[in-house]
Amino acid sequence: MTKVVNYITEAFEELKSNVTWPEWAEVQKLTIIVALFSILFALATWGVDSVFAKALGFFFNWLKA
């Protein structure tokens, strides 16, 4: 158990002393960019899924006829 506590303590010390953290304004800007790209990617995926669903629907209806 001592090894686990020591590992966690050293990990937090590493984060405090050796990691370069970005400024808060940069974090906000990058968060907005990631959110926008996530929304755009979700909309693109939804659009492609809708097109394929309609195409498959037409194809299977054509096979029934």
Side-chain angles (χ1 to χ4, degrees):
M1 186 66 179
T2 308
K3 289 183 179 182
V4 173
V5 172
N6 189 28
Y7 174 78
I8 292 172
T9 304
E10 288 177 3
F12 276 109
E13 186 60 37
E14 181 82 17
L15 288 172
K16 283 192 267 182
S17 61
N18 295 335
V19 175
T20 304
W21 297 99
E23 296 295 322
W24 181 243
E26 185 180 5
V27 171
Q28 289 176 329
K29 182 180 79 169
L30 293 175
T31 301
I32 291 170
I33 291 171
V34 168
L36 288 175
F37 274 104
S38 297
I39 291 168
L40 289 174
F41 187 73
L43 289 173
T45 303
W46 172 74
V48 169
D49 181 57
S50 296
V51 168
F52 279 125
K54 288 185 182 190
L56 283 173
F58 287 134
F59 176 72
F60 285 118
N61 284 335
W62 177 73
L63 285 178
K64 281 184 189 178

